[in-house]
Amino acid sequence: MASFDAALGILNTETVGLAKSGFEKWENGINASRKPGQPKVTVDFASLTFEQIKDPSRRAYFNKIPTTLSLPDKQVDELSALSGDMLEESPEYQSFVRSLR
């Protein structure tokens, strides 16, 4: 189980890295084709994972929720609330929000 978890962690880290790299390449490509004086495109990238949950018992609870297409309403509500909490704590997301003001 430990080796499976380690492999999955590496895969997720690589996947996030590839996604971020892809968005950065897209940003650079768009900006390279812009005419002088046109505003630049910027990409803000935030990755949110259960591992960022500070409270160990709360983190364990969410990690135990099965990956499925159907969840009880209570778990859907809890996951929805968690996403808001995590965005509030994400420096990358908060930087993006500040840039909109």
Side-chain angles (χ1 to χ4, degrees), residues 17-83:
L18 286 170
K20 185 174 182 178
S21 175
F23 280 113
E24 288 170 347
K25 286 179 184 175
W26 176 80
E27 174 186 34
N28 292 335
I30 294 293
N31 287 330
S33 67
R34 295 267 181 173
K35 294 179 180 163
Q38 284 187 307
K40 300 290 185 188
V41 169
T42 59
V43 173
D44 294 282
F45 190 90
S47 175
L48 305 177
T49 69
F50 290 159
E51 295 309 309
Q52 294 167 310
I53 300 171
K54 293 174 184 154
D55 180 319
S57 62
R58 190 174 187 213
R59 182 173 51 249
Y61 171 79
F62 283 106
N63 274 317
K64 288 182 182 175
I65 293 177
T67 302
T68 180
L69 296 176
S70 176
L71 292 172
D73 289 345
K74 179 181 184 239
Q75 285 182 334
V76 171
D77 292 343
E78 290 169 337
L79 287 164
S80 179
L82 175 65
S83 65

